[in-house]
Amino acid sequence: QVQLVESGGGLVQAGGSLRLSCAASGRPFTNYAMGWFRQAPGKEREFVAAISWNGGSEDYADSVKGRFTISRDNAKNAGYLHMNSLKPEDTAVYYCAIQRAWINRRIVATAYDYWGQGTQVTVSS
């Protein structure tokens, strides 16, 4: 019943920035934590960043800490991933996902309830 619509992916040069957006419809966004995951060709899906339902807690993978920032706007039922200082190693399909707030397992992909379609991010060297 919940749909997650992603936008903002594309091609960017190394060192550049990109902002991914995740818009939720069908249910209020407020009651869900939000996470971003990515999957590169031949690799398993990995955790990138997550934010609690009220924005009070953030988690980041070590590989993106200090470069990526997760945020949300509950009034707009939307979440964002701001990516700075992008590296070729960041190239992957990025997925937005939401998780019922009480589950409290935000870095675990299998604990999420709904997923977006994925958006390609390609970082050229």
Side-chain angles (χ1 to χ4, degrees):
Q1 205 69 26
V2 175
Q3 289 188 330
L4 301 178
V5 181
E6 300 175 333
S7 61
L11 176 65
V12 65
Q13 290 183 286
S17 300
L18 204 62
R19 187 185 77 165
L20 305 184
S21 298
C22 177
S25 63
R27 278 190 173 274
F29 193 59
T30 305
N31 297 327
Y32 296 86
M34 184 190 72
W36 289 92
F37 295 78
R38 67 187 183 187
Q39 187 167 20
K43 299 182 66 177
E44 295 183 351
R45 188 170 300 185
E46 66 174 346
F47 168 76
V48 176
I51 187 167
S52 62
W53 72 276
N54 61 356
S57 182
E58 301 172 19
D59 300 287
Y60 297 95
D62 288 341
S63 60
V64 306
K65 193 172 298 180
R67 299 189 297 120
F68 291 10
T69 302
I70 190 170
S71 63
R72 67 189 298 160
D73 187 340
N74 286 342
K76 297 181 178 179
N77 282 351
Y80 308 94
L81 183 67
H82 300 259
M83 304 184 292
N84 299 315
S85 301
L86 283 162
K87 305 174 181 179
E89 305 94 273
D90 295 317
T91 296
V93 176
Y94 283 70
Y95 298 90
C96 173
I98 58 173
Q99 175 186 121
R100 288 162 291 169
W102 58 266
I103 293 176
N104 199 31
R105 298 170 64 199
R106 293 187 295 274
I107 67 172
V108 181
T110 55
Y112 280 78
D113 298 297
Y114 301 98
W115 292 82
Q117 78 284 358
T119 184
Q120 178 71 47
V121 172
T122 302
V123 184
S124 62
S125 59

